[in-house]
């Protein structure tokens, strides 16, 4: 490596570090969470997404309209579709998150989002940053919360994934020092780690959970992951009734269904990249990505989404209408919990159990011989009405 190359890399690294100072100060002065009960109107912003996103969003909104019909009619809840985040518009503008779209997003209290395309090398699209990551950062949605239930394995877990930092925050800011070496970064702050820890412990306390398990690779990534563990344990001192355990991320992926390994696990807190991987693995065990959802929570805003992708294979084969709508429908339920309508989600969860487990008159397999997203939603809505 040439001395000049090293000097340039050092300067770039210094600029990145300086750029984090305002974010850290903002976390120190973070606002209190929104009190939805005090709002005259709750605005739900709808971001349909790409590929199967608009197809599934249509079904998710049918369920939302059924569950809070009275609140929508009275004006207590307003559902507002936001345009401009399709891959076509983002490519045309060469912007992952156009400012005019972000302005409209910030006029909402909560967001319901379908899957969105993130360009990859070789797919012929501009190398745009993930709009998902940008929404999380610009709205400071620091906690990705994912419930996973596998009843026959006695698993009822809630994951709290740190959503801003880790390997993702500088994901497009790595340094190509010379032709031989490139460097990417993993970022951890005390403030960022402590607030995700507090969210996990508060959830555990409010829901009668007795365990918080930390998942890292601290045996190898000693400083950043080690500091994450220290931060979680420090916060945990304020919750003496809650046990703290630790697991390594590779073992967690390999053995999460092993009763001797997962004994006692209830609430799981993880840094960003590990949370992305582990929750996807858990979702596959629970029935597939098509059935799981994610909540992205901040103090001012919250975003609820399906965790699967845009399903380009289904779209290109004319089977988009047969995609599974359950992930986005469950996201609707999690949103209702967040804004104060947990009773409606209880009805939804009971109906989903009837429709997907106990009665199961229709099944969605993405094959045209089985139920379409609309047909399954018809069945689900009929079941919800029977439970009301």
């Amino acid at each position: 490596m040439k001395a000049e190359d090293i000097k340039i890399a050092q300067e770039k690294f210094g600029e990145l570090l300086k750029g984090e100072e305002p974010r850290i100060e903002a976390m120190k002065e973070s606002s209190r969470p929104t009190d939805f009960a005090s709002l005259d109107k709750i605005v739900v912003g709808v971001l349909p997404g790409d590929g199967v996103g608009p197809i599934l969003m249509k079904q998710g909104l049918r369920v939302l309209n059924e569950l809070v019909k009275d609140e929508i009619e009275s004006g207590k809840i307003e559902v507002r579709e936001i345009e401009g985040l399709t891959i076509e518009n983002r490519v045309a503008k060469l912007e992952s998150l156009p400012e005019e779209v972000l302005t409209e997003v910030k006029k909402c209290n909560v967001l319901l989002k379908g899957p969105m395309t993130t360009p990859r090398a070789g797919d012929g699209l501009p190398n745009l940053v993930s709009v998902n990551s940008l929404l999380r950062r610009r709205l400071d949605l620091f906690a990705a919360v994912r419930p996973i239930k596998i009843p026959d394995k006695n698993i009822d877990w809630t994951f709290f994934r740190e959503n801003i930092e880790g390997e993702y925050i500088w994901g497009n800011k790595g340094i190509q020092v010379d032709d031989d070496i490139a460097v990417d970064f993993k970022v951890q702050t005390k403030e960022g780690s402590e607030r995700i820890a507090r969210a996990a412990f508060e959830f555990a306390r409010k829901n009668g959970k007795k365990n918080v398990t930390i998942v890292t690779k601290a045996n190898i990534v000693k400083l950043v992951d080690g500091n994450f563990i220290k931060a979680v344990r420090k916060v945990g001192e304020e919750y003496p009734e809650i046990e703290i355990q630790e697991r390594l991320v590779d073992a967690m992926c390999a053995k999460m269904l092993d009763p001797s390994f997962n004994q006692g696990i209830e609430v799981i807190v993880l840094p960003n990249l590990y949370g992305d991987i582990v929750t996807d693995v858990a979702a596959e065990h629970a029935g597939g990505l098509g059935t799981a959802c994610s909540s992205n929570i901040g103090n001012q805003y919250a975003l609820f989404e399906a965790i699967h992708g845009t399903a380009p294979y289904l779209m290109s084969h004319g089977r988009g209408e047969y995609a599974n709508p359950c992930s986005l429908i469950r996201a609707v339920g999690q949103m209702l919990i967040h804004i104060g309508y947990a009773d409606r989600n209880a009805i939804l969860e009971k109906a989903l159990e009837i429709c997907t487990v106990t009665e199961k008159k229709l099944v969605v397999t993405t094959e045209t011989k089985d139920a379409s997203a609309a047909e399954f939603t018809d069945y689900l809505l009929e079941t919800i009405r029977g439970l009301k």
Side-chain angles (χ1 to χ4, degrees), residues 18-214:
K18 289 179 182 178
E20 288 301 296
E21 291 177 352
R23 187 178 69 86
I24 294 171
E25 290 304 313
M27 283 192 284
K28 291 178 180 179
E29 301 172 3
S30 61
S31 58
R32 298 178 64 181
T34 299
D35 178 10
F36 287 97
S38 68
L39 298 180
D40 294 329
K41 179 194 290 186
I42 299 169
V43 180
V44 178
V46 176
L47 304 167
D50 302 310
V52 296
I55 295 169
L56 302 184
M57 184 64 74
K58 181 178 180 181
Q59 306 311 320
L61 292 178
R62 291 177 67 199
V63 174
L64 177 64
N65 288 329
E66 178 64 34
L67 290 169
V68 288
K69 182 188 303 181
D70 292 343
E71 288 76 11
I72 290 173
E73 290 178 353
S74 70
K76 173 65 176 178
I77 295 176
E78 177 188 340
V79 180
R80 183 184 299 173
E81 183 165 340
I82 299 171
E83 299 179 348
L85 281 185
T86 62
I87 185 59
E88 293 82 7
N89 189 56
R90 288 182 282 136
V91 166
K93 289 181 173 289
L94 290 179
E95 293 181 72
S96 293
L97 180 56
E99 282 299 320
E100 66 273 16
V101 178
L102 182 62
T103 297
E104 294 303 311
V105 163
K106 286 186 172 181
K107 294 177 183 177
C108 304
N109 302 110
V110 293
L111 300 159
L112 189 63
K113 187 182 81 65
M116 294 182 179
T117 300
T118 299
R120 302 179 184 180
D123 63 9
L125 295 173
N127 189 24
L128 298 175
V129 178
S130 164
V131 67
N132 298 327
S133 295
L134 287 179
L135 281 168
R136 291 164 188 163
R137 292 179 211 167
R138 298 297 295 272
L139 302 178
D140 200 23
L141 306 176
F142 63 85
V145 184
R146 295 187 183 180
I148 295 291
K149 294 183 180 181
I150 311 176
D152 62 333
K153 298 290 184 181
N154 198 32
I155 286 174
D156 183 358
W157 296 340
T158 304
F159 290 90
F160 281 77
R161 166 192 170 193
E162 199 290 317
N163 217 14
I164 305 292
E165 302 185 342
E167 293 82 355
Y168 290 14
I169 191 167
W170 293 352
N172 64 329
K173 297 179 181 179
I175 298 172
Q176 186 74 47
V177 181
D178 61 17
D179 289 342
D180 296 318
I181 185 168
V183 180
D184 274 315
F185 301 98
K186 178 169 181 168
V187 177
Q188 178 269 344
T189 65
K190 178 173 71 72
E191 291 77 14
S193 299
E194 287 184 358
R195 68 179 181 176
I196 188 65
R198 192 170 305 282
F201 281 105
E202 280 294 311
F203 174 86
R205 176 173 281 176
K206 290 176 181 177
N207 290 275
K209 307 295 184 181
K210 299 300 181 184
N211 166 271
V212 169
T213 297
I214 312 166

